[in-house]
């Protein structure tokens, strides 16, 4: 409800006022009254509502002829139900009376012109604009919340455009309107009124660079859609045409939430009386939007597309790896997209280059790729090959220091939905690797961390990954779906579990079985040799302590118990002060629904089977998962990466609507 305007009456001449439908107007009946007047009465024409507000402890409601005491505690309020047909076609009359019965001592007349002004958006989040009488100026989270949603127009719908659609000041494609949020201005009233009054659309200075507004005048031509507000234009005088009752607009988001932007923007329309200097706004209606956040998807979401790179090394191409990944994608009914050498420039680490997510409003959703700041051979691939119609793009640049290894997106993951101490995270929580708290070392760049935190819906958790040579969280953890009530398991690499497994095999008489047996490119080591290696045990103890520290953080921040965690046997060795996987790192897997593409560990073979593979199968297959072990040794493992590092998956968005949560 807008603030009440006050209209002062006069005994000498009629007063004229504009009254907006649904807005109460205070009528001053006290300032100009006849001498000797003690009471007053009010009459009104059809179409006008009159309310008398009073303090019941001081005023007694009059009986018979409604004559109210001229007391400061009695106020007259008027409103209109519909827009007027003509100027001044509504009337309110106030008559003043003395102490004794008799004729009125004087009269004041108020002529009203009703006008219907309302700015409306999809406040109810139904996908359509509906007239709202509620609070449009604020935005509320939750299933009972309200407020419109704005998409960042970060795709490229027109083949004529080279950049993102949001970079264009003019509409380049009618399809682009679907990426914007509709807004409707109601402006019903006598045409003559608008000869002396105007409608002005405004955006606050702080929001002008975040939003752009197009005015729609119907038709199917791009010229029918004119930009009226934006970074270079903060106000617009609406060109209302004769008899026009509604005017349509489309609102375009220009920036994602970030460290200096909470994601809220507002727009307003004012009815301005142009007969006075300075011009006076008689009424203002405002609406609020929240810019839709960029949302990551965890391994538990179904896969839609699997990306992988074709590369050539001194030992040959990775065609065998591509064939194995292709077979896995076929089993998972997932589309395979191979990035050719000419586009990746022999950069195979497609997981490090980008992260797939999506943005969503009630009327529209589309995927958005987040391009990491690492910028190696694949640096142009997300922008040149993925950005397109209904496929958005966002990035953050590190301006001064340059990117570190922790700025690659193998160091970025997200958990499935969790509940922590009664607090729900229905879209999961983002996980990023960092240095040990309050210590020096590598950390993901602030611009990336700020962006992820500002999205609000997947509150990030920082883990300790700086103990690794590469330093990525995907080297020691992964999530897999589970067909039980929990819905997932956290997998953690575990040197202790690996040494226990090898000790069991030794005690069973298989101490001579060797790691890397049959692998041409690596010297084999027996179980007995590895268990007798003091340095390996010392390294394993250190690595296990690092993973255990993260284990406790993950249990606390994700609300997990030990039953939710599976230890995957894995050995690491220290190179200087940093750790590297001693054999292909099995938690660094690609998850395609129930089908897992796991790095082939080349473990000790017992009774014709790799004991590491058999152990992992025994842990994961009871969850309904299917394990496929993929040889990535030469093309990936020897270069300090694995299957997950060399693949990337676009997944199905959540069915849960982000605006229904409470951050």
């Amino acid at each position: 409800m807008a603030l009440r305007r006050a209209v002062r009456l006069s005994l000498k001449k009629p007063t004229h006022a504009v009254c907006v439908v649904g807005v109460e107007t205070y009528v001053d009946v006290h300032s100009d009254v006849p001498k000797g007047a003690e009471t007053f009465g009010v009459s009104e024409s059809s179409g006008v509502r009159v309310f008398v507000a009073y303090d019941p402890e001081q005023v007694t409601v009059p009986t018979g002829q409604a004559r109210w005491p001229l007391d400061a505690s009695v106020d007259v309020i008027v409103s209109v139900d519909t827009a007027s047909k003509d100027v001044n076609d509504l009337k309110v009359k106030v008559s003043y009376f003395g102490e004794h019965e008799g004729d009125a001592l004087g009269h004041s007349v108020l002529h009203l012109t009703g006008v219907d002004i309302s700015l409306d958006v999809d406040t109810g989040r139904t996908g359509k604009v509906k007239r709202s009488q509620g609070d449009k100026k604020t935005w509320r989270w939750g299933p009972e919340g309200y407020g419109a949603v704005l998409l960042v127009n970060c795709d490229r719908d027109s083949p004529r455009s080279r950049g993102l659609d949001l970079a264009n000041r003019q509409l380049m494609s009618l399809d682009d309107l679907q990426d914007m949020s509709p807004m409707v201005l109601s402006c019903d009233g006598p045409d003559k009124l608008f000869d002396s009054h105007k409608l002005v659309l405004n955006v606050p200075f702080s929001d002008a660079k975040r939003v752009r507004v197009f005015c729609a005048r119907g038709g199917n031509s791009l010229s029918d859609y004119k930009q009226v507000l934006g970074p270079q234009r903060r106000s617009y005088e609406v060109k209302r045409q004769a008899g026009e009752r509604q005017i349509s607009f489309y609102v375009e988001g220009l920036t994602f939430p970030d460290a200096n932007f909470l994601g809220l923007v507002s727009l307003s329309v004012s009815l301005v009386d142009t007969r006075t200097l300075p011009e006076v706004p008689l009424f203002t209606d405002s609406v609020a939007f929240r810019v839709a956040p960029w949302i990551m998807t965890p391994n538990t979401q179904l896969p839609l597309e699997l990306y992988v790179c074709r590369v050539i090394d001194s030992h040959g191409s990775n065609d065998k790896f591509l064939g194995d990944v292709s077979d896995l994608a076929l089993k998972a009914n997932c589309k395979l997209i191979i990035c050719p050498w000419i586009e990746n420039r022999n950069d195979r680490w497609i997981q490090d280059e980008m992260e797939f997510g999506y943005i969503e409003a009630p009327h529209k959703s589309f995927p958005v790729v987040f391009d990491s700041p690492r910028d190696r051979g694949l640096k142009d691939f997300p922008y040149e090959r993925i950005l397109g119609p209904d496929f958005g793009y966002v990035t953050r640049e590190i301006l001064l220091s340059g990117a570190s290894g922790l700025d690659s997106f193998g160091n970025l993951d997200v958990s499935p939905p969790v509940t922590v101490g009664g607090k729900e995270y229905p879209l999961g929580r983002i996980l990023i690797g960092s240095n040990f708290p309050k210590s020096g070392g590598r950390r993901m760049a602030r611009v990336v961390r700020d962006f992820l935190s500002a999205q609000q819906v997947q509150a990030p958790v920082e883990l300790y990954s700086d103990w690794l040579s590469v330093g990525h969280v995907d080297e020691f953890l992964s999530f897999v779906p589970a067909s039980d009530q929990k819905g997932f398991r956290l997998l953690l690499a575990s040197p202790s579990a690996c040494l226990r497994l090898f000790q069991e095999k030794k005690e069973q008489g298989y101490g001579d079985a060797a790691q890397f047996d049959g692998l041409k490119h690596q010297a084999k080591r027996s179980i007995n040799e590895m268990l007798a290696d003091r340095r390996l045990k010392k390294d394993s103890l250190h690595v296990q302590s690092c993973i255990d520290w993260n284990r406790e953080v993950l249990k606390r921040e994700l609300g997990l118990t030990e039953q939710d965690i599976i230890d995957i046997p894995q050995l690491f060795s220290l190179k200087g002060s940093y750790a590297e996987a001693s054999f292909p790192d099995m938690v660094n897997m690609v998850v395609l629904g129930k089908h897992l593409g796991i790095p082939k560990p080349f473990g000790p073979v017992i009774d014709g089977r790799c004991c590491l593979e058999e152990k992992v199968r025994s842990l994961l297959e009871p969850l309904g998962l299917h394990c496929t072990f993929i040889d990535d040794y030469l093309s990936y493992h020897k270069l300090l990466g694995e299957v997950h590092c060399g693949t990337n998956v676009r997944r199905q968005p959540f069915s849960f609507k982000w605006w229904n949560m409470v951050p």
Side-chain angles (χ1 to χ4, degrees):
M1 181 67 69
L3 295 175
R4 291 177 186 167
R5 288 179 57 236
V7 176
R8 183 174 178 178
L9 299 185
S10 171
L11 292 170
K12 298 177 181 178
K13 61 180 180 179
T15 302
H16 300 83
V18 174
C19 194
V20 178
V21 172
V23 177
E24 295 179 345
T25 299
Y26 168 73
V27 180
D28 181 359
V29 299
H30 304 286
S31 296
D32 190 7
V33 300
K35 185 177 181 179
E38 294 189 4
T39 62
F40 71 92
V42 183
S43 61
E44 71 277 1
S45 63
S46 175
V48 181
R49 291 177 180 263
V50 175
F51 308 90
V52 178
Y54 60 93
D55 183 349
E57 293 185 0
Q58 300 183 31
V59 178
T60 302
V61 178
T63 58
Q65 293 180 335
R67 295 184 180 179
W68 296 87
L70 273 170
D71 186 280
S73 59
V74 178
D75 294 326
V76 176
I77 300 163
V78 300
S79 66
V80 298
D81 295 328
T82 59
S84 294
K85 302 292 185 183
D86 299 300
V87 173
N88 298 325
D89 63 352
L90 303 173
K91 182 179 178 181
V92 175
K93 182 179 179 181
V94 178
S95 301
Y96 297 93
F97 302 91
E99 181 180 359
H100 305 289
E101 295 291 335
D103 294 336
L105 300 179
H107 306 277
S108 295
V109 176
L110 173 62
H111 292 290
L112 295 173
T113 303
V115 61
D116 188 7
I117 306 295
S118 182
L119 193 62
D120 290 288
V121 292
D122 182 17
T123 305
R125 303 169 186 166
T126 63
K128 295 182 179 180
V129 177
K130 294 182 180 179
R131 184 73 176 260
S132 175
Q133 301 297 332
D135 184 1
K136 298 183 286 187
K137 294 190 296 184
T138 56
W139 203 96
R140 292 285 183 266
W141 294 91
E144 304 301 322
Y146 49 85
V149 176
L150 200 58
L151 295 174
V152 175
N153 193 11
C154 60
D155 66 341
R156 183 166 59 199
D157 286 317
S158 173
R160 296 184 298 148
S161 176
R162 286 295 300 158
L164 307 186
D165 285 342
L166 59 81
N168 301 317
R169 296 184 183 182
Q170 296 179 335
L171 196 67
M172 302 295 288
S173 166
L174 292 178
D175 292 336
D176 213 19
L177 295 173
Q178 299 302 313
D179 301 337
M180 304 181 193
S181 296
M183 180 172 71
V184 176
L185 171 60
S186 299
C187 51
D188 192 12
D191 291 338
K192 187 178 179 181
L193 176 75
F194 294 96
D195 293 339
S196 57
H197 294 74
K198 65 181 180 181
L199 293 166
V200 180
L201 204 62
N202 291 285
V203 58
F205 175 80
S206 60
D207 295 345
K209 61 184 177 182
R210 320 286 189 192
V211 69
R212 190 179 284 124
V213 179
F214 292 86
C215 182
R217 288 299 187 183
N220 295 316
S221 171
L222 293 176
S223 61
D224 293 324
Y225 299 86
K226 176 186 176 184
Q227 187 207 148
V228 295
L229 291 179
Q232 284 78 42
R233 192 170 187 181
R234 292 176 48 209
S235 65
Y236 165 68
E237 182 179 340
V238 179
K239 308 300 182 184
R240 180 187 180 276
Q241 299 170 0
E244 196 167 28
R245 295 183 176 182
Q246 285 190 338
I247 302 174
S248 295
F249 296 88
Y250 289 88
V251 186
E252 174 186 41
L254 302 182
T255 57
F256 280 96
D258 215 323
N260 60 351
F261 175 43
L262 294 176
L264 290 173
V265 296
S266 64
L267 297 171
S268 64
V269 67
S270 294
L271 178 65
V272 179
D273 188 343
T274 60
R275 297 171 297 182
T276 61
L277 288 177
E279 296 177 344
V280 177
L282 304 180
F283 167 77
T284 297
D285 201 17
S286 301
V287 293
F289 294 89
R290 182 175 290 278
V291 176
W294 180 77
I295 301 172
M296 290 180 63
T297 50
N299 285 350
T300 48
Q301 294 300 111
L302 290 176
L304 299 176
E305 295 174 334
L306 174 64
Y307 289 75
V308 65
C309 293
R310 185 183 302 278
V311 295
I312 301 174
D313 296 310
S314 58
H315 59 78
S317 72
N318 65 337
D319 284 351
K320 176 63 169 61
F321 178 83
L322 295 180
D324 292 342
V325 168
S326 177
D327 291 342
L328 184 71
L330 187 63
K331 292 177 184 177
N333 194 29
C334 178
K335 180 181 178 180
L336 178 66
I337 298 175
I338 297 177
C339 173
W341 183 90
I342 195 172
E343 293 179 4
N344 65 54
R345 290 170 258 187
N346 229 44
D347 180 5
R348 70 205 68 207
W349 310 118
I350 197 164
Q351 179 63 51
D352 287 343
E353 181 58 37
M354 61 189 187
E355 184 68 45
F356 288 110
Y358 69 96
I359 58 176
E360 183 175 23
H363 70 282
K364 179 74 179 284
S365 174
F366 59 82
V368 176
V369 62
F370 186 9
D371 189 0
S372 82
R374 72 187 281 269
D375 288 349
R376 298 185 188 175
L378 278 161
K379 66 178 183 178
D380 296 327
F381 181 72
Y383 189 84
E384 296 293 339
R385 304 299 296 172
I386 295 179
L387 170 64
D390 286 343
F391 211 128
Y393 172 94
V394 65
T395 191
R396 286 296 178 268
E397 296 181 358
I398 304 172
L399 298 178
L400 298 177
S401 60
S404 77
L406 271 65
D407 296 316
S408 298
F409 285 171
N411 195 34
L412 174 62
D413 207 337
V414 64
S415 79
V418 292
T419 300
V420 185
K423 169 69 174 175
E424 293 184 353
Y425 296 91
L427 302 174
R429 298 191 70 177
I430 287 173
L431 307 175
I432 58 175
S434 189
N435 55 5
F436 194 76
K438 299 181 181 180
S439 70
R442 297 168 296 173
R443 194 179 186 191
M444 182 177 281
R446 176 172 290 278
V447 291
V448 179
R449 288 185 283 119
D450 286 348
F451 173 83
L452 296 171
S453 296
Q455 307 313 305
Q456 296 194 62
V457 296
Q458 296 176 305
V461 177
E462 283 197 63
L463 300 174
Y464 173 38
S465 66
D466 193 31
W467 56 274
L468 289 152
S469 290
V470 176
H472 294 176
V473 293
D474 68 351
E475 297 177 77
F476 66 88
L477 68 81
S478 185
F479 294 92
V480 295
S483 54
D484 57 12
Q485 186 174 1
K486 185 67 178 180
F488 71 91
R489 294 291 186 277
L490 167 64
L491 309 185
L492 289 178
S494 175
S496 296
C498 190
L499 292 176
R500 282 197 304 271
L501 176 64
F502 285 172
Q503 183 65 37
E504 290 173 8
K505 297 306 176 185
K506 176 182 178 178
E507 293 172 359
Q508 293 169 3
Y510 300 111
D512 292 331
Q515 184 75 36
F516 302 126
D517 191 8
L519 189 61
K520 299 177 183 178
H521 319 285
Q522 180 68 39
K524 58 185 180 179
R525 298 189 73 194
S526 70
I527 289 177
N528 288 334
E529 290 173 329
M530 288 187 285
L531 291 176
D533 188 335
R534 292 185 177 181
R535 180 176 177 180
L536 179 62
K537 285 190 174 181
K538 182 179 179 182
D539 290 355
S540 297
L541 187 64
H542 168 73
V543 169
Q544 189 64 57
S545 69
C546 295
I547 295 174
D548 285 346
W549 188 91
N550 286 300
R551 186 191 202 95
E552 294 308 309
V553 173
L554 289 161
K555 286 165 65 176
R556 181 178 68 248
E557 298 296 335
L558 300 184
L560 304 180
T561 66
E562 283 297 324
Q563 288 69 38
D564 303 322
I565 302 172
I566 296 176
D567 292 309
I568 301 297
Q570 184 65 48
L571 292 182
F572 294 82
S573 57
L574 292 181
K575 306 294 184 183
S577 58
Y578 295 104
E580 298 173 2
S582 301
F583 54 81
D585 188 354
M586 290 185 287
V587 296
N588 195 283
M589 64 181 70
V590 63
V591 180
L592 303 179
K594 294 183 178 181
H595 296 273
L596 311 180
I598 306 172
K600 186 175 180 62
F602 294 99
V605 176
I606 298 172
D607 295 333
R609 295 178 180 271
C610 169
C611 68
L612 289 172
E613 291 185 18
E614 288 301 291
K615 180 62 176 179
V616 171
R617 289 185 192 277
S618 71
L619 293 170
L620 300 183
E621 289 184 349
L623 299 174
L625 302 172
H626 305 283
C627 300
T628 299
F629 292 89
I630 297 175
D631 181 0
D632 71 349
Y633 192 84
L634 287 179
S635 295
Y636 297 88
H637 173 72
K638 293 293 285 183
L639 301 176
L640 303 184
E642 310 288 357
V643 174
H644 184 260
C645 306
T647 57
N648 209 316
V649 183
R650 182 171 75 87
R651 301 183 182 276
Q652 195 172 78
F654 286 99
S655 59
F656 180 86
K657 306 306 179 185
W658 62 265
W659 51 84
N660 285 331
M661 70 175 291
V662 179

